[in-house]
Amino acid sequence: MIEAIGLTKRYGRTVAVDDLSFTVQPGRVTGFLGPNGAGKSTTMRMILGLDRPTAGRVLIDGKPYTELNRPLQTVGALLDAKWVHPNRSARAHLKWLAVSNGLPKSRVDAVLEAVGLTQVASKNAGGFSLGMSQRLGIAAALLGDPKVLLFDEPVNGLDPEGILWIRTFMQNLAAEGRTVLVSSHLLSEMALTASELVVIGRGKLITQSSTQEFIDRSTGNTVLVRSPQLFKLGPLLVDKGFTVRDGADGALSVSGATSDQIGDIAAANGVVLHELSPQRGSLEEAFMQLTGDAVEYHAEIGK
Amino acid sequence: MTLLAVERIKLFSTRSPYWCSALALVLGVGLTAIIAASTDNGQLSLGATQFGSSQLALSVVLVMAALAVTTEYRFSTIRATFLAVPNRTSALVAKTVVVAFIAAVLGEIIAFGSVGIAKVLSPASDLAITTGDEWRHVAGVGLLYGIGAVIAIAVGILVRQTAGAVAILLVWNMLLEGLIGIIPKVGVKIQAWLPFMNANHFLQLGGDNPAEQAGAGVDFKLSQWGSLGYFAAIAVALLVVALIVAKRRDA
Ligand SMILES: Nc1ncnc2c1ncn2[C@@H]1O[C@H](COP(=O)(O)OP(=O)(O)O)[C@@H](O)[C@H]1O
Ligand SMILES: [Mg+2]
């Protein structure tokens, strides 16, 4: 578990992180969402003891990072895939990390295998593509078989195949009961990866909730419903106080209700559903609205 | 011990230390070879065999030591290091020990290699190392390199970038301390307390040819071993400052 309490970081006059408190629970992927410049990377550096908080503290399983004994066995992190010496081989990079934390050499081969870099392990890391660097970074994070994992914008700049690979990888790690915190500035990405969200803007916490709840709230709860019995379902939804409009292709567009609620109502009344889809088309816009003036580059985005 | 192994793996898994060592060896021993070849056979003195090691090659070793830490900042592997070893002081001390040890060994190889090549090229000269002073003059080069490496690492930690650290070290060692002697009257008094001047004082053979002696004309207040201790104390003080700064600032 990761626990941030009143975390604050100032660089000169810039307040990068402002009185931020949140928790990250094990067994699921928690998304750390916020526009560029919101303070995600800064927060992660503070979690890992690289940057010193101006105020507040952050604990990993009850301890500050710097007090962990052999920290790679507790926490694995990928903040930047380029944190390797370009003239050092992938295996040598992992080897010194392993030795530093008392890990057996077999772990180096195991993580190389896990990320699919065995073939290129003796090549210099400087010649790696972004995708390969990212895999090397993940290998380093997994080296100590840690319970807690942090990834900062891991899919940035990757091709669709790489994105899918990382997404699946993180979900598998969480399914093994680990604590996974992954940052992104894209809500659409987080919607696919994370089940819990910590949303920040301008260094401040905007909300911490489940991804579903956040999406429902930020999209104005628009759900598209198709059913052969809409004549029956429509009035039932209106009775519950939801706004119902005709959507495309004879479907109904329902506002103010979650898909869960509509599904429950339909089931309770024996209505057959052919489609029940939360509308995510305007997710990014909705996110911008929600983070409102917390967006650093508001003018640019508004164009 | 673990941390020493870590720093050793890091250092020897990149190419630059090999290149720097080779360059220092070639420059140090090479200069002696040139001096030996251009001196009449029989006329070469032991004091003339260490120009290369104590001046030219020393600069390369300072650069090598600085690079060992500035490249870590350049490629942010210092962050990877601090993630693996959050106790920054231990991590940086381990690096200093490894680099200083390698520099010292290299210093001995270059110093004795220089004497060796001089013997080959000028077989009639008396180049035997017999007295304690003569041993200090040759074997002392390793101590100089080891301590110099500590200074270079401290500067590297403080400056964090290669160009700046290298410029500071080279200007300081090769130019600044010598130029201060130009200041009338007080110049030589200041020089008596400058670290690299004292380092050279330690190496002085006390022969009769003053031109052979670096730092000639400076009225040192310390004994030769005292000068070495002073040089070492300055190195340690700089390192302590660097370690405190590294611990406090953001990585
Ligand atoms: N080392 C630093 N020095 C000065 N300002 C910084 C530093 N790191 C980050 N910042 C500033 O702090 C804010 C948050 O940055 P960052 O944590 O990188 O955001 P994110 O990762 O969410 O994009 C930005 O305004 C950025 O310019
Ligand atoms: Mg960032």
Side-chain angles (χ1 to χ4, degrees):
Chain A
M1 189 176 104
I2 304 170
E3 198 179 359
I5 309 141
L7 210 52
T8 302
K9 180 69 186 181
R10 275 189 215 101
Y11 296 108
R13 253 182 293 156
T14 314
V15 184
V17 176
D18 192 0
D19 194 19
L20 188 60
S21 302
F22 61 87
T23 56
V24 184
Q25 300 291 340
R28 60 180 94 146
V29 177
T30 300
F32 193 25
L33 182 65
N36 283 322
K40 304 181 295 294
S41 299
T42 303
T43 303
M44 287 189 152
R45 287 198 304 272
M46 288 193 285
I47 294 174
L48 296 166
L50 290 174
D51 280 20
R52 182 187 288 261
T54 310
R57 63 210 171 100
V58 54
L59 305 175
I60 295 169
D61 291 343
K63 273 191 194 171
Y65 186 88
T66 49
E67 281 172 27
L68 296 175
N69 184 30
R70 295 185 167 175
L72 300 188
Q73 297 189 17
T74 307
V75 184
L78 170 57
L79 292 202
D80 189 330
K82 290 289 164 200
W83 289 1
V84 290
H85 194 299
N87 293 332
R88 191 176 282 138
S89 72
R91 179 173 277 117
H93 176 69
L94 295 172
K95 188 178 164 205
W96 74 258
L97 284 170
V99 171
S100 72
N101 275 245
L103 299 164
K105 302 238 164 53
S106 57
R107 278 304 295 166
V108 171
D109 295 319
V111 294
L112 280 168
E113 189 68 42
V115 302
L117 285 182
T118 309
Q119 300 298 317
V120 293
S122 52
K123 294 231 161 63
N124 284 352
F128 282 10
S129 68
L130 180 62
M132 288 159 83
S133 300
Q134 211 75 295
R135 284 170 189 243
L136 178 57
I138 290 176
L142 296 177
L143 201 56
D145 196 17
K147 296 188 295 288
V148 180
L149 285 142
L150 276 75
F151 301 100
D152 193 10
E153 308 251 11
V155 303
N156 247 13
L158 291 188
D159 54 18
E161 195 192 350
I163 292 176
L164 186 64
W165 185 84
I166 290 204
R167 208 183 271 153
T168 315
F169 209 97
M170 287 187 302
Q171 281 161 345
N172 289 342
L173 290 170
E176 290 164 14
R178 302 176 210 256
T179 307
V180 180
L181 180 66
V182 51
S183 80
S184 177
H185 63 282
L186 297 172
L187 178 54
S188 51
E189 175 57 36
M190 290 290 87
L192 293 170
T193 313
S195 56
E196 179 87 7
L197 285 181
V198 173
V199 186
I200 66 168
R202 286 205 174 163
K204 284 198 177 69
L205 183 73
I206 290 171
T207 181
Q208 170 163 21
S209 69
S210 80
T211 307
Q212 192 54 55
E213 203 183 313
F214 178 77
I215 287 172
D216 289 346
R217 218 169 343 126
S218 54
T219 52
N221 306 357
T222 306
V223 181
L224 199 72
V225 187
R226 286 199 311 117
S227 158
Q229 294 159 287
L230 280 181
F231 59 90
K232 190 172 165 191
L233 183 61
L236 284 167
L237 293 170
V238 174
D239 281 351
K240 295 275 180 189
F242 304 134
T243 312
V244 179
R245 270 173 287 123
D246 285 336
D249 296 337
L252 279 187
S253 172
V254 184
S255 307
T258 64
S259 54
D260 295 11
Q261 285 172 307
I262 298 169
D264 290 349
I265 293 167
N269 294 279
V271 173
V272 173
L273 291 179
H274 285 175
E275 182 180 351
L276 184 61
S277 54
Q279 292 307 285
R280 298 182 179 189
S282 62
L283 267 187
E284 301 303 336
E285 272 168 53
F287 171 48
M288 290 305 163
Q289 248 165 33
L290 192 93
T291 53
D293 56 11
V295 176
E296 185 114 329
Y297 311 112
H298 206 65
E300 260 175 83
I301 290 160
K303 275 181 198 158
Chain B
M1 283 324 278
T2 309
L3 294 182
L4 295 180
V6 168
E7 292 302 327
R8 182 176 47 78
I9 297 170
K10 274 159 76 179
L11 201 63
F12 288 121
S13 56
T14 63
R15 279 191 303 258
S16 85
Y18 294 103
W19 282 111
C20 287
S21 301
L23 184 66
L25 197 66
V26 168
L27 285 179
V29 179
L31 187 66
T32 308
I34 291 170
I35 292 172
S38 56
T39 307
D40 289 340
N41 193 1
Q43 297 302 306
L44 193 67
S45 68
L46 189 64
T49 61
Q50 300 303 320
F51 282 138
S53 67
S54 64
Q55 309 294 320
L56 215 50
L58 172 64
S59 299
V60 179
V61 171
L62 293 180
V63 170
M64 175 184 82
L67 276 175
V69 17
T70 54
T71 51
E72 288 237 36
Y73 280 101
R74 158 114 192 266
F75 299 120
S76 290
T77 48
I78 194 76
R79 291 184 174 144
T81 301
F82 292 159
L83 285 184
V85 187
N87 185 337
R88 298 181 186 184
T89 305
S90 322
L92 292 171
V93 166
K95 180 185 284 301
T96 309
V97 169
V98 170
V99 174
F101 178 75
I102 290 164
V105 170
L106 190 61
E108 299 304 346
I109 293 172
I110 294 174
F112 284 97
S114 295
V115 175
I117 200 133
K119 277 183 177 165
V120 171
L121 294 175
S122 189
S125 302
D126 173 23
L127 296 171
I129 306 168
T130 44
T131 67
D133 281 352
E134 286 165 347
W135 277 104
R136 174 173 44 70
H137 184 67
V138 179
V141 171
L143 293 176
L144 203 78
Y145 281 21
I147 297 166
V150 175
I151 291 181
I153 285 181
V155 170
I157 293 171
L158 289 169
V159 179
R160 284 190 277 188
Q161 39 143 322
T162 304
V166 167
I168 288 173
L169 288 165
L170 293 188
V171 168
W172 176 7
N173 170 39
M174 298 177 91
L175 277 177
L176 195 67
E177 293 204 359
L179 283 180
I180 284 178
I182 295 172
I183 305 171
K185 285 184 185 160
V186 290
V188 282
K189 286 187 182 149
I190 298 172
Q191 276 181 323
W193 296 104
L194 295 178
F196 285 99
M197 281 289 166
N198 276 280
N200 279 314
H201 179 228
F202 163 70
L203 283 188
Q204 276 181 11
L205 200 46
D208 26 65
N209 183 357
E212 275 177 10
Q213 314 296 345
V218 179
D219 180 18
F220 289 102
K221 301 290 181 223
L222 299 168
S223 70
Q224 291 189 281
W225 284 98
S227 278
L228 183 78
Y230 178 73
F231 184 53
I234 292 208
V236 169
L238 260 178
L239 184 65
V240 168
V241 171
L243 292 175
I244 291 169
V245 169
K247 190 173 176 178
R248 297 172 64 107
R249 80 186 160 200
D250 295 334

